[in-house]
Amino acid sequence: MRILIAGGGAAGMTAAIAAARQGALVTILEKKEMPGKKILSTGNGRCNLTNMDMKAVYFRGGDRGTIEQVLSAFGPEDTLRFFAELGLLTKTRGTLVYPASDQAAAVREALAMELKRQGVEVRTGVTVERAEVKEEGFRLRLAGADGKRSFCTGDALILAAGGKAAPALGSDGSGYSLAKGLGHSVIRPLPALVQLRSDAGFTGKLSGVRAEARVSLFVEGKEVSCDTGEVQFTDYGISGIPVFQVSRFASMALDRKQEVYVLLDFLPAMSEREAFHLLEGRRGVFAGNAAEEFLHGLFHRKLAPVLLTGSRIRWKEKLGDVDREALVRLAGTCKHLRMNITGTNSFDQAQVCAGGVPLGEISPETMESRLTPGLFLAGELLDVDGMCGGYNLQWAWASGWLAGSAAAKTADKRIDKRKGRKVGREKDGRENSRKDNGKDRRGR
């Protein structure tokens, strides 16, 4: 049996290995110059390949029950065992797992070598333009880098073409069109794990500043997500891990034309009352200083003027002249600096997508389509996006392994059914022929 895989990323390569190990003839169709190119950019080039704290709650998008079922069938321990079989040594930082070399290239190369060992055919520089279901299986129309078109057929098809995030690395959204052409629906893809843009007047002044903060995202005045960590200010808005973690909800709300803003808490370990007492205690020490010097030692030098302005305190005002009410305002600003969110950066900067093929349209045990038998879907193409921390790669390994393993078994069954139909037609043909011959003899 032959299995075709559209997309040679993390999910596609894993699916190919799983299917080939069961004896299937596997062909990967990858539009970039090599498979697994996107893996090289993960984890800032170090590839956080999984997380030992793996729970469905760390994922967004589709039904958590389905996500949990997939991750239970192929979890972090399975991932470690899989890569150990490929000769890859790993190490942990807390619950995060990385290759021992801290090089994402080591992960890609381990997968690529196994593809070669298993005899998987890898065709690069090839775009799958269309997929059709025929009696003999799946028929794909391909376009080469030179524009020339060709066709190929397979007994099963795995769509692992990725979403729309980082199109320069191969994820250009073409997989959604293929899925639609084969009967599936697609929830509108939006950038996730991405930077947020703001019209706050101080963004340019803070460009390049990094600060620990709690980021709380509000939609129409209601808090919907939060995270704490290092925030990076840019000339257009904010970036950093905690920003990425809440960005999915911003993308979706902005797409619905809803009001979105964040509150930044630069003293997350303190209550607002405790922050006030901290500032009040410092006032006695800095009474003779200008207000702009008051926050030095607490916050970045560029951040202090922004907090003072937001509290209606003049920079040059002597701290001894700043009254209690002003300190209350300053404590509030340190705990709740507001930034209106006007947009996100594009798919070019996004790490993953929110949206995709609904999980209700696939079987979680096998990743097979509930709509088109013999079709399997894996990876980011589905409506699943995880938080930062190895969750999205774990989804790729898990969904890819299940899809590849099941596709090999399903392809055998499809071949047997086709053989059965062929034998049946031949038998019917022989019987009809005998009947015709009998009539002829009786006629004579």
Side-chain angles (χ1 to χ4, degrees), residues 132-152:
E132 300 175 295
V133 182
K134 300 290 186 180
E135 186 178 1
E136 66 273 15
F138 291 87
R139 187 171 187 263
L140 275 55
R141 186 177 74 184
L142 313 176
D146 56 3
K148 293 183 179 178
R149 286 174 170 77
S150 60
F151 294 87
C152 65

Side-chain angles (χ1 to χ4, degrees), residues 227-245:
D227 199 68
T228 302
E230 186 181 75
V231 175
Q232 302 166 25
F233 290 90
T234 68
D235 57 357
Y236 57 78
I238 47 176
S239 182
I241 299 297
V243 175
F244 290 167
Q245 306 288 43

